[in-house]
């Protein structure tokens, strides 16, 4: 201690210089330090989700969950494995020892999953990790029950507020809930379907085929290469009402009607492709007519209307509202955002 005191007395300039350096380093660190609502810790959990369409919970357990569990137990650092088998899906939670490098753990888990043989119709397992950074740092609510309805609020949130917030430095994503969406509702007239020998499934299949937009590639036309696209060109409710459905005489079975309908769609696609050199073809209407089949417009078979509803429910003080959650980037300062 005495030698330290003597050194300080003999080297006053060095002590002052060291003090200044420490003060400025402390100020710089304090001003640039990230400020978080919660500490940015790495939680040693991984989640493996596997989709098995059409499977009962017992089938999911035997065909998916058990084989994956047995393989994942051999991964280094695994502490516990918990699985939940539901209808059509399997969810496996993997807990690792604290301090485990989750990047390496994720790679090891993915390698183990690739070695498991699953049924053909099982989708590839997906791996996700829980991160505190994925939690919103700000939650906002947009409501005005006096002058604006939910549709207008949705337009403001999607077109005005979202782009403005996404431009804020440090914002990773904007999540919106409770928004108003429009969709087309079809209410079939069963008497009309029976009259024309059609079923709802047949008509739905033809509608889906008519609304497809399929690029066929480049073709040589008029000494030039042109892109050919088959396009159902259904953009409005009136377009949907005018979709032509091939019909069968009354009394024909549904299978025959379905096959004929499919043939009409395929022929329509061919007609669309032939006329798509200059733009795009209309798949469904041309097909039935080109084959000389009797047709009926969709508007005669079903009542078509546009209905609107909320994708999810968001309320503020009892009023319908739009929820807006702001998620910051991993390296952003929470207070600044």
């Amino acid at each position: 201690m005495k030698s330290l005191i003597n050194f300080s007395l003999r080297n006053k300039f060095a002590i002052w210089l060291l003090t200044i350096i420490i003060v400025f380093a402390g100020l710089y660190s304090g001003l640039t330090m990230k400020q978080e609502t919660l500490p940015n810790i790495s939680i040693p959990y991984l989640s493996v989700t596997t989709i098995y369409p059409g499977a009962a919970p017992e089938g999911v357990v035997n065909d998916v969950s058990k084989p994956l569990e047995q393989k994942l137990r051999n991964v280094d650092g695994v502490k516990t494995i918990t699985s939940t088998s539901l209808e059509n899906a399997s969810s496996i939670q993997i807990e690792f020892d604290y301090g485990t490098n989750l990047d390496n753990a994720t790679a090891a888990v993915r390698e183990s999953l690739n070695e498991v043989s699953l049924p053909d119709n099982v989708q590839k397992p997906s791996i996700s990790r829980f991160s505190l950074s994925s939690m919103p740092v700000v939650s906002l609510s947009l409501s005005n029950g006096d002058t604006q309805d939910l549709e207008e609020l949705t337009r403001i949130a999607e077109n005005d507020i979202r782009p403005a917030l996404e431009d804020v430095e440090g914002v990773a994503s904007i999540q919106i809930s409770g928004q108003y969406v429009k969709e087309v509702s079809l209410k079939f007239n069963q008497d009309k379907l029976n009259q024309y020998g059609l079923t709802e499934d047949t008509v739905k299949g033809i509608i889906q085929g008519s609304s497809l937009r399929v690029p066929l590639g480049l073709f040589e036309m008029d000494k030039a290469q042109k892109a050919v696209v088959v396009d159902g060109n259904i953009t409005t409710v009136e377009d949907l009402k005018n979709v032509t459905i091939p019909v069968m005489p009354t009394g024909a079975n549904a299978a025959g009607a379905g096959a004929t309908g499919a043939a009409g769609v395929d022929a329509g696609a061919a007609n669309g492709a032939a006329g798509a050199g200059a733009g795009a073809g209309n798949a469904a209407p041309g097909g039935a007519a080109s084959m000389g089949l009797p047709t009926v417009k969709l508007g005669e078979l079903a009542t078509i209307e546009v209905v609107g509803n909320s994708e999810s429910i968001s309320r503020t003080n009892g009023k319908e509202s739009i929820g807006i959650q702001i998620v910051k980037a991993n390296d952003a300062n929470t207070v600044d955002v």
Side-chain angles (χ1 to χ4, degrees):
M1 180 62 70
K2 188 176 181 178
S3 59
L4 181 61
I5 295 174
N6 292 333
F7 173 81
S8 302
L9 293 174
R10 289 194 303 269
N11 300 276
K12 296 180 181 180
F13 178 77
I15 297 300
W16 275 107
L17 184 62
L18 183 62
T19 302
I20 292 172
I21 292 174
I22 293 175
V23 169
F24 275 99
L27 290 174
Y28 175 80
S29 299
L31 294 175
T32 59
M33 183 181 299
K34 285 179 58 179
Q35 299 179 27
E36 300 286 350
T37 306
L38 296 172
N40 188 18
I41 60 175
S42 178
I43 301 177
Y45 279 88
L46 290 179
S47 176
V48 178
T49 303
T50 309
I51 305 300
Y52 190 1
E58 294 80 5
V60 174
V61 170
N62 296 325
D63 297 338
V64 179
S65 296
K66 284 186 177 180
L68 293 181
E69 283 183 10
Q70 293 172 358
K71 193 67 178 178
L72 292 173
R73 286 195 185 99
N74 298 324
V75 176
D76 290 339
V78 171
K79 187 176 180 181
T80 59
I81 295 179
T82 305
S83 67
T84 303
S85 298
L86 309 170
E87 186 175 358
N88 303 323
S90 167
S91 177
I92 299 177
Q93 309 297 323
I94 309 172
E95 180 184 2
F96 292 87
D97 296 324
Y98 272 93
T100 300
N101 187 315
L102 283 186
D103 291 333
N104 296 336
T106 302
V109 168
R110 183 175 291 109
E111 184 178 349
S112 296
L113 294 177
N114 291 335
E115 297 176 358
V116 180
S117 298
L118 298 174
D120 293 337
N121 57 336
V122 174
Q123 297 181 12
K124 185 177 180 180
S126 62
I127 306 172
S128 59
R129 67 172 71 177
F130 178 78
S131 173
L132 294 176
S133 298
S134 62
M135 298 177 62
V137 294
V138 179
S139 294
L140 306 176
S141 176
L142 176 67
S143 66
N144 189 344
D146 298 329
T147 59
Q148 292 170 325
D149 57 14
L150 192 60
E151 182 177 4
E152 179 66 13
L153 289 176
T154 299
R155 187 196 65 77
I156 294 173
E158 294 284 358
N159 299 339
D160 300 335
I161 297 179
R162 182 200 287 270
L165 292 178
E166 287 177 339
D167 288 340
V168 175
E169 185 178 357
V171 171
S173 64
I174 304 297
Q175 302 169 355
I176 297 180
S177 60
Q179 60 267 50
Y180 181 92
V181 294
K182 289 183 177 180
E183 56 187 22
V184 177
S185 171
L186 276 71
K187 185 177 181 181
F188 287 98
N189 186 326
Q190 196 60 47
D191 293 335
K192 285 286 186 179
L193 292 177
N194 294 337
Q195 176 184 344
Y196 292 108
L198 296 169
T199 65
E200 289 188 17
D201 290 339
T202 301
V203 177
K204 289 177 182 178
I206 295 174
I207 296 172
Q208 291 173 352
S210 301
S211 62
L212 290 177
R213 187 178 189 277
V214 183
L216 301 181
L218 296 175
F219 287 82
E220 192 76 26
M221 295 183 181
D222 298 330
K223 298 182 180 180
Q225 281 192 337
K226 296 184 178 181
V228 178
V229 178
V230 176
D231 191 351
N233 201 28
I234 298 177
T235 57
T236 66
V237 174
E238 288 302 319
D239 293 337
L240 190 59
K241 289 181 178 179
N242 291 326
V243 171
T244 54
I245 308 296
V247 302
M248 293 294 291
T250 304
N253 57 43
T260 306
V265 175
D266 292 340
N271 276 1
N282 192 329
S290 65
M291 296 184 65
L293 293 174
T295 61
V296 61
K297 291 185 178 180
L298 179 61
E300 299 179 30
L301 300 175
T303 301
I304 304 173
E305 58 183 358
V306 177
V307 296
N309 52 26
S310 301
E311 280 191 339
S312 56
I313 297 175
S314 176
R315 293 185 180 276
T316 301
N317 296 329
K319 296 180 180 180
E320 288 187 327
S321 63
I322 304 294
I324 304 173
Q325 287 77 40
I326 302 173
V327 180
K328 74 175 186 66
N330 289 334
D331 58 347
N333 188 314
T334 300
V335 176
D336 289 343
V337 172

